[in-house]
Amino acid sequence: LYIQEILKNNLAKEGCLDRVVAYRVVPAPLQRVNGKFRYRFIMKLNYSKTVYDIIHKSAEEYRKAKNSSTISIDVNPYNMC
């Protein structure tokens, strides 16, 4: 599963799907660093402890499923480049 699918499923289970606008995954501005490809997945939402917990739970599920991939979460990023 991809992170978008995991996140969508977890948000739907908790009835929070309508609180999040998720955009498609696109290559990051620096597409490759140290031989690894990078992608960006942007979401817009109003802060909620429940949604925040679901996002982190989804990231953990993704980490367990994809051993060779890494994922990081940046809340309110200063620079989008």
Side-chain angles (χ1 to χ4, degrees):
L1 288 175
Y2 294 105
I3 186 62
Q4 316 92 293
E5 295 169 1
I6 294 170
L7 184 60
K8 183 178 177 182
N9 291 341
N10 288 338
L11 288 167
K13 284 179 196 173
E14 297 294 327
C16 298
L17 194 55
D18 60 338
R19 295 189 203 173
V20 177
V21 176
Y23 298 94
R24 65 186 177 91
V25 175
V26 295
L30 292 173
Q31 294 181 8
R32 200 169 185 180
V33 174
N34 296 329
K36 295 183 181 181
F37 291 96
R38 300 173 65 228
Y39 294 89
R40 176 188 290 180
F41 177 53
I42 299 173
M43 297 181 294
K44 284 177 129 180
L45 56 111
N46 290 326
Y47 178 80
S48 158
K49 176 82 168 111
T50 304
V51 173
Y52 185 80
D53 289 343
I54 293 168
I55 291 169
H56 282 277
K57 175 185 169 192
S58 300
E60 281 303 313
E61 283 182 38
Y62 182 79
R63 285 182 186 111
K64 290 177 184 174
K66 303 283 184 178
N67 294 334
S68 64
S69 298
T70 58
I71 186 170
S72 64
I73 298 170
D74 191 0
V75 178
N76 293 327
Y78 177 73
N79 187 349
M80 295 289 287
C81 293

